[in-house]
Amino acid sequence: MRIGVLTGGGDAPGLNAAIRGVARRALQLGHRVSGIQNGWAGALQGDIDELAPEDVRGILHLGGTILGTSRTNPLKEPDGVKRVMANLKRFGVEGLVAIGGDDTLSVAAAMHEAGALVVGVPKTIDNDLSVTDFCIGFDTAVGVVVEALDRLHTTASAHHRVMVVEVMGRDTGWVAMMGGLAGGADLILIPEFEVKVEEIVAHLYKRRGEDRDFSIIVVAEGVQFEGLPTGESKTDAFGHVQLAQRGVGDALSRMIESETGFETRVTVLGHLQRGGSPSPVDRIWATRLGVRATDLLLDKKGGVIPVRKNGGVSIVRISEVVKAQRKVPRDLYQLAQVFG
Ligand code: F6P
């Protein structure tokens, strides 16, 4: 069989480990592999190349993706799905592994409906896919946040400042919550739970009253509250606003300083969270899921995705993981409040 592999959406550390897993398993069993360039864009344009064994050696530790990525959405293109199907046929691709988050996987689900043999692999630093306990890139991103918080603690303490740290998280606050918990944040603001500015201010005064003269606030870029900018309306092909341009961290830090007079600084971690070498957890699970994705295709099982569930690999329908976003539960939010 010839297996095609693509990576779509925002890049995440561990994508190359997954590509390597998919390709090395196929090659081990005597099959051929094609790399589709730049996500669904390459599938639409017929930008598809043979992946030789040497192409997938020495890439386990590399961030980014050797295949490139894009936020192109074939469902928004005239005859998009038909064109993708035609190109796969033209390049002899009989089974496809789509490595991505909810956007990329929604297209994979549509391709399955249209008759393609396609399986998914879960990826997104946002960690917001349903069902799966793991998405490629999340563990590394949390590590970046924790390292930043450790560094910011010492300078915040030296200057008795409030430090606002803006992290990624469009609709959910997984990176903020797990990064904040592991990095000892004093306040974690996430899209799932609304907080008023007065509450933030009261919290900061309380800490000062208890002789804790610095504070670290982690804020997910997707939070909404009164007084924050709504941002530009520029959207991508999947309809997502570019949240980084809203400047939530900056706006929050200015609000805090004007309400309290406490010296406040902001750090926006941005794409640092998506770059660089993947953590061991991301490498291991990307490898396991990539290999399993190939095995599923070779068994002619399409429309499914291998995910980490209760410590092992489970196979579920792609449509299940994209049905709803997995939100941070209240018990974790309450856990964080113990340490405010
Ligand atoms: O989808 C993952 C994500 O990292 C979000 O957390 C973030 O809002 C978005 O991508 C940023 O996308 P881009 O790199 O296209 O600006």
Side-chain angles (χ1 to χ4, degrees):
M1 181 187 277
R2 176 174 288 281
I3 288 178
V5 55
L6 65 79
T7 51
D11 70 328
L15 285 176
N16 285 322
I19 294 166
R20 172 179 173 268
V22 168
R24 295 279 285 270
R25 179 60 164 167
L27 294 167
Q28 179 200 22
L29 299 176
H31 299 277
R32 312 285 295 268
V33 187
S34 294
I36 295 154
Q37 305 297 313
N38 303 318
W40 294 115
L44 277 168
Q45 292 153 10
D47 195 358
I48 300 175
D49 301 313
E50 178 85 25
L51 280 183
E54 54 273 22
D55 295 323
V56 286
R57 285 198 199 112
I59 63 169
L60 174 63
H61 64 293
L62 298 179
T65 157
I66 58 162
L67 296 176
T69 187
S70 71
R71 294 197 187 274
T72 300
N73 181 359
L75 306 180
K76 290 279 162 65
E77 301 286 329
D79 289 330
V81 170
K82 266 198 203 156
R83 280 161 58 202
V84 169
M85 301 279 268
N87 278 328
L88 294 181
K89 197 164 174 211
R90 182 154 72 96
F91 285 85
V93 174
E94 298 159 80
L96 175 66
V97 180
I99 308 171
D102 53 352
D103 297 333
T104 305
L105 295 175
S106 305
V107 179
M111 299 281 306
H112 167 69
E113 291 300 319
L117 179 64
V118 53
V119 303
V121 171
K123 171 273 342 174
T124 164
I125 70 151
D126 289 357
N127 202 39
D128 56 0
L129 289 172
S130 269
V131 188
T132 180
D133 295 339
F134 168 86
C135 295
I136 293 171
F138 174 63
D139 187 70
T140 309
V142 169
V144 172
V145 174
V146 173
E147 190 191 338
L149 294 188
D150 287 350
R151 290 176 185 276
L152 290 168
H153 261 95
T154 59
T155 170
S157 151
H159 284 269
H160 322 293
R161 281 173 172 161
V162 178
M163 288 287 180
V164 173
V165 187
E166 181 186 313
V167 304
M168 282 188 173
R170 184 182 277 146
D171 303 305
T172 63
W174 286 104
V175 173
M177 179 52 64
M178 294 311 198
L181 275 173
D186 305 306
L187 198 55
I188 302 172
L189 306 174
I190 57 176
E192 287 89 337
F193 299 97
E194 207 185 318
V195 178
K196 294 193 166 48
V197 179
E198 306 86 86
E199 293 172 273
I200 299 169
V201 167
H203 186 78
L204 293 173
Y205 274 124
K206 180 170 168 283
R207 283 178 57 80
R208 293 272 162 151
E210 293 165 353
D211 273 349
R212 293 185 288 170
D213 62 0
F214 74 92
S215 297
I216 307 274
I217 301 178
V218 175
V219 58
E221 62 183 354
V223 294
Q224 305 283 352
F225 50 83
E226 222 179 299
L228 283 187
T230 48
E232 298 198 353
S233 52
K234 195 174 162 197
T235 53
D236 65 20
F238 288 91
H240 303 303
V241 174
Q242 285 179 22
L243 288 174
Q245 292 183 358
R246 275 178 76 213
V248 159
D250 192 45
L252 179 63
S253 114
R254 275 186 277 112
M255 274 163 135
I256 288 171
E257 203 165 64
S258 80
E259 292 284 327
T260 62
F262 300 153
E263 210 179 9
T264 304
R265 295 287 187 269
V266 62
T267 302
V268 180
L269 290 180
H271 292 80
L272 285 174
Q273 296 159 95
R274 295 224 310 247
S277 203
S279 68
V281 168
D282 276 326
R283 295 181 196 198
I284 289 164
W285 278 93
T287 300
R288 287 186 74 172
L289 299 180
V291 167
R292 194 61 183 272
T294 291
D295 286 342
L296 286 165
L297 284 182
L298 296 175
D299 284 349
K300 299 277 188 318
K301 296 204 172 94
V304 292
I305 180 165
V307 298
R308 185 176 86 185
K309 195 80 204 137
N310 303 326
V313 178
S314 296
I315 309 302
V316 298
R317 307 209 63 71
I318 299 175
S319 52
E320 281 297 305
V321 302
V322 297
K323 202 153 68 182
Q325 278 166 333
R326 198 163 66 103
K327 304 281 185 189
V328 174
R330 186 166 290 277
D331 64 326
L332 273 181
Y333 188 64
Q334 287 168 341
L335 175 67
Q337 287 171 335
V338 172
F339 304 97

